Amino acid sequence: MITMKDIIDYHNEKIREVSKAVALPIRNEERELLLQMHEFLVNSQDPETSEKYDLRPGVGIAAIQLGIPKRMCAIHLLDYDRNGNVTKVN
């Protein structure tokens, strides 16, 4: 499980590396990374899980934020109705 300790910031030199393209279809290793990145986002948006693991809420994360210079990102968006209920999970 990805946590905040896995995410690098601007102090880390890797964040400025130029990310490399990823060939399609993606390899199993890259697919697993994307699934883990998405899981982090889902967990970060869940109040109980984010508090338990001290996660900051997010809607997107790039592989370079994990120190992996690949052009990959995961996004997790929720749509809400006028009453604040989730209507669609993307």
Side-chain angles (χ1 to χ4, degrees), residues 36-55:
Q36 289 175 15
M37 291 165 55
H38 185 261
E39 178 188 41
F40 168 81
L41 296 171
V42 171
N43 289 340
S44 78
Q45 292 180 26
D46 178 69
E48 289 180 19
T49 306
S50 65
E51 184 176 336
K52 179 178 180 180
Y53 295 104
D54 194 30
L55 304 176

Side-chain angles (χ1 to χ4, degrees), residues 1-7 33 35-40 43 53 55 61 66:
M1 181 171 120
I2 296 172
T3 63
M4 296 307 295
K5 69 175 179 52
D6 300 309
I7 298 175
L33 175 59
L35 290 172
Q36 289 175 15
M37 291 165 55
H38 185 261
E39 178 188 41
F40 168 81
N43 289 340
Y53 295 104
L55 304 176
I61 186 169
L66 301 170

